[in-house]
Amino acid sequence: MSKIVSNIILALILILSQGLFFNNINFLGSINPFIYIFFIAYFPLKNNRSFFIFCAFIFGLIIDIFSDTHAIHAAATLTIAFLRPYFLKLYFGMAYEHQVVKFNSIELRQNLFYLLSIILIHHLILFGMETFDISKISLVIKNTFNTAIFTLIAIYILFELIIKRAK
Amino acid sequence: MQRIIYFLIRNKDFILFLSLLTISLSINISYNEYNKSKFFNSSNSLFSSLYNTKLTISKYFNLEYQNQLLAEENRNLRFQIYNSRNFQIEESDFDKINFNVTSASVIKNSYSYSNNFITIDVGEKDSIEIDNGVISSLGVVGIIDKISPNYSRFISILNTNFLLNAKFKKSNYFGILSWNGTNINKVQLKDVPKQANVSIGDTIVTGGNSLIFPKGILIGYVDSFKLDNSENYLELEINLATDMTNIENLYVLKNNNIKEINSLDE
């Protein structure tokens, strides 16, 4: 029970800090880290998959209303929520299938690769849908990589602060 | 039949994913044209009150620069008043005013996407209407596209859907101003006839062809120019006069004659 409440509080904090603070960083002109991916990446492992996908969609929609964008965050968040089990299987293999993976004791290398792949997919869909123009594909890819670096750093710091500490 | 149901149950997550993805894609496509979004904008009350709270805290950090801008503008206005012959406006002249000016401040600025919208703190109650022009003390910044009782949202000049008629200050050659989404300091002016005598540093202002802005409001300065693919028209890169990353005090312009002018076209 307390876990559900703490997750809802975490979601609210992430939404508010993304909308009010992290959307306005504009590092080097226009780079804003999307720290709210943290919620999807480290959502509890034992979950109802349909519920998780639906949650991610609603979560993305709220971010969309905050950023004045049209369901692009919703689509990107939804996709990484759907793909998450496949990435977990890819990077944690047998340990995930036997349900013994714990986020607070995973290796640094596995963790970074896992994070990087879901961040890249998220950003690619986000910027792709936002630009919605195949002739500007180079702009999309440039934005994706620039932003992904900062998102990765920001989420890893959050990981150290929230999950490693809770251990 | 049983097999179909079994198939549906086994793939329910995938079906859920696909249907939600379709919903978000259709939202994205249908709202990509502006003037349409009813639901997805931060001028609705809950979000704008949140942004307002944030603004009251964060605006103190920018006071010095904004003061400087306002002082500069005051200086210019005084200069104009003292140099015009009849600087006293009579009461009766107010009926003939073409543009109403309302001052506004930015609640939420955005420039990191390719379709940027900005929210300001005036709305229907201040008699703002859709398609009013928005300027800063340095030049054009956007056009109102969505209003609520106390707030409104406008399409920033840094929006790939933004189009505006613009001309040279020194001659009457005009073109279409738009933004290609790459550099937040530069916009593009297209379809300028080749015989226009362009030089770097020329001033670009709004043309009188649009009913939204009065003629001659500053937009920016020519940075570079080249022939476009058809080789008949010039394509110009314009340095924006306004720093879109640092705007706070804006003015909304409302054309009082728009109904009369539009009635001619019907």
Side-chain angles (χ1 to χ4, degrees), chain A residues 24 26 32 50 66 68 130, chain B residues 13 41-42 51 54 111 114:
Chain A
N24 302 314
N26 297 313
N32 291 322
S50 310
F66 251 111
D68 267 330
E130 199 250 324
Chain B
D13 295 329
N41 69 70
S42 55
Y51 278 122
K54 186 202 148 211
Y111 44 85
S114 57

Side-chain angles (χ1 to χ4, degrees), chain A residues 20 24 26 29-30 32 49-50 61 65-68 70-71 73 75 78-79 82 129-130 132 136, chain B residues 12-14 16-17 20-21 24 28 31 40-42 47 50-51 54 108 111-115 153 180:
Chain A
L20 299 178
N24 302 314
N26 297 313
S30 65
N32 291 322
R49 199 172 167 209
S50 310
L61 268 187
I65 299 175
F66 251 111
S67 342
D68 267 330
H70 302 140
H73 288 285
L78 173 70
T79 314
F82 175 74
M129 271 181 72
E130 199 250 324
F132 221 75
K136 287 179 188 155
Chain B
K12 68 178 192 303
D13 295 329
F14 185 63
L16 180 68
F17 165 68
L20 290 178
L21 191 67
S24 38
N28 187 36
Y31 289 125
F40 284 94
N41 69 70
S42 55
F47 289 94
L50 268 175
Y51 278 122
K54 186 202 148 211
K108 187 193 144 261
Y111 44 85
S112 54
Y113 296 98
S114 57
N115 292 326
R153 187 182 78 159
N180 63 8

